[in-house]
Amino acid sequence: MMLNEHYPFRLPPLPYAYDAFDPMIDGVTMKEHHDVLFRNYVNNLNRALAPYPIYHDWNLLTLMRYYEDFDEPLRTQIERNGGGTMNHSLYFEGITPQKTAPNEELQGMINKSFGSMEAMRVLMKEQAQSIYGSGYVWLMRDGIGGLRIVSTANQSSPPLEILTPILALDMWEHAYYIPHQSRKGDYFDVWFNNIDWNEASALNDFAKSVQTHR
Ligand code: MN3
């Protein structure tokens, strides 16, 4: 989990083979997305933070919570490259070719917030298909044990002072255009059917701990 790591940030290895989801997400797309695009965000984040030692022990989640108070040019650099780093780490670590299921607590929260897993899936798919331009769809934990679906533009982060990420779906065309062209719904289905619920459950526990300690 990259959220509690700090400068200098390192590119996390892809936790499965490049072709683990081929042909639904092809190996060429996965390699370019992880090894080139994600790496660029990590390198650019380190480059932006290098002249500011006061932020070198801030973890990624804290940086993304408070960067709006920073002066330019650091503020925009963190918004884009810190966002690109956090968002991609959650996206790549959030899927797996293995069969997983949410733990009891997360499943209970899904039922309480949306009625059922199926109802949540439908709402997330609607959000994914209605993204205009590039962005992300998120499942977020709020401060009172509920879940919310949020979408964001470009590499912007969801509002992290009150919400903590559980799932992140990259809806930029570079994530899906080769196998799915403009069929966002097909790409969504591939993503949803391969969610790593163990990772999501771990993020829910992490979210609970950082929200409690505030
Ligand atoms: Mn991307």
Side-chain angles (χ1 to χ4, degrees), residues 4-21:
N4 51 13
E5 291 179 10
H6 59 75
Y7 178 94
F9 293 97
R10 287 163 306 155
L11 180 73
L14 197 66
Y16 34 78
Y18 294 119
D19 61 356
F21 305 99

Side-chain angles (χ1 to χ4, degrees), residues 15-73:
Y16 34 78
Y18 294 119
D19 61 356
F21 305 99
D22 201 285
M24 298 177 295
I25 300 174
D26 62 287
V28 173
T29 293
M30 193 64 93
K31 191 172 197 316
E32 175 77 12
H33 197 183
H34 177 274
D35 289 8
V36 179
L37 296 175
F38 185 11
R39 185 191 303 277
N40 283 344
Y41 284 115
V42 176
N43 289 347
N44 288 335
L45 175 62
N46 286 331
R47 201 168 293 131
L49 284 168
Y52 302 92
I54 53 167
Y55 300 125
H56 287 186
D57 63 349
W58 287 36
N59 70 29
L60 186 57
L61 180 62
T62 307
L63 281 170
M64 298 319 298
R65 270 185 176 162
Y66 299 116
Y67 76 88
E68 289 185 45
D69 296 333
F70 295 177
D71 292 331
E72 294 293 1

Side-chain angles (χ1 to χ4, degrees), residues 154-170:
N154 299 318
Q155 294 296 357
S156 296
S157 305
L160 294 169
E161 292 199 40
I162 48 170
L163 303 174
T164 313
I166 307 295
L167 296 173
L169 170 58
D170 188 334

Side-chain angles (χ1 to χ4, degrees), residues 2 16 38 65 83 88 94 106 110 118 128-129 131 136 145 153 167 174 176 181 197 207 213:
M2 214 171 174
Y16 34 78
F38 185 11
R65 270 185 176 162
H88 281 103
L106 183 55
I110 290 168
E118 174 59 13
Q129 290 179 298
I131 289 247
Y136 278 75
L167 296 173
H174 63 233
Y176 65 84
Q181 286 83 52
W197 288 108
H213 293 157

